[in-house]
Amino acid sequence: MVEYHGKKYHCPMELAVHLISGKWKALILWDLAERELRFTELCRRFPEVSEKVLTAQLRNLEADGLITRTVYP
């Protein structure tokens, strides 16, 4: 049994699937594994995703600790 944010999962794989569930999260993580990308670069790589959805997916990944966000001036 694995617990994360107060919710219990039967195994670590169930937690991993929960964390990357969503239509775009796995693809975003795949691209970010290669190198750091700015938001506009991600928008270009995924033209079929609205900025609102992309922002939400990135915020979820950041909240779950899977990515970190760096703000550049």
Side-chain angles (χ1 to χ4, degrees):
M1 202 51 84
V2 177
E3 189 171 330
Y4 184 75
H5 288 284
K7 186 174 179 185
K8 294 183 180 180
Y9 298 90
H10 292 81
C11 68
M13 186 57 78
E14 183 183 8
L15 172 59
V17 168
H18 172 77
L19 292 176
I20 63 169
S21 65
K23 189 172 181 179
W24 303 105
K25 286 182 183 177
L27 295 173
I28 292 167
L29 287 172
W30 181 265
D31 275 0
L32 291 176
E34 293 176 0
R35 64 185 180 97
E36 293 178 359
L37 295 169
R38 291 178 181 256
F39 181 76
T40 54
E41 292 173 308
L42 284 171
C43 287
R44 276 188 234 118
R45 286 177 179 252
F46 302 107
E48 58 278 354
V49 183
S50 70
E51 286 187 17
K52 180 180 177 180
V53 170
L54 184 57
T55 298
Q57 298 282 283
L58 290 168
R59 285 184 180 156
N60 288 338
L61 290 168
E62 182 183 19
D64 290 332
L66 297 175
I67 63 172
T68 56
R69 178 178 181 229
T70 304
V71 178
Y72 295 101

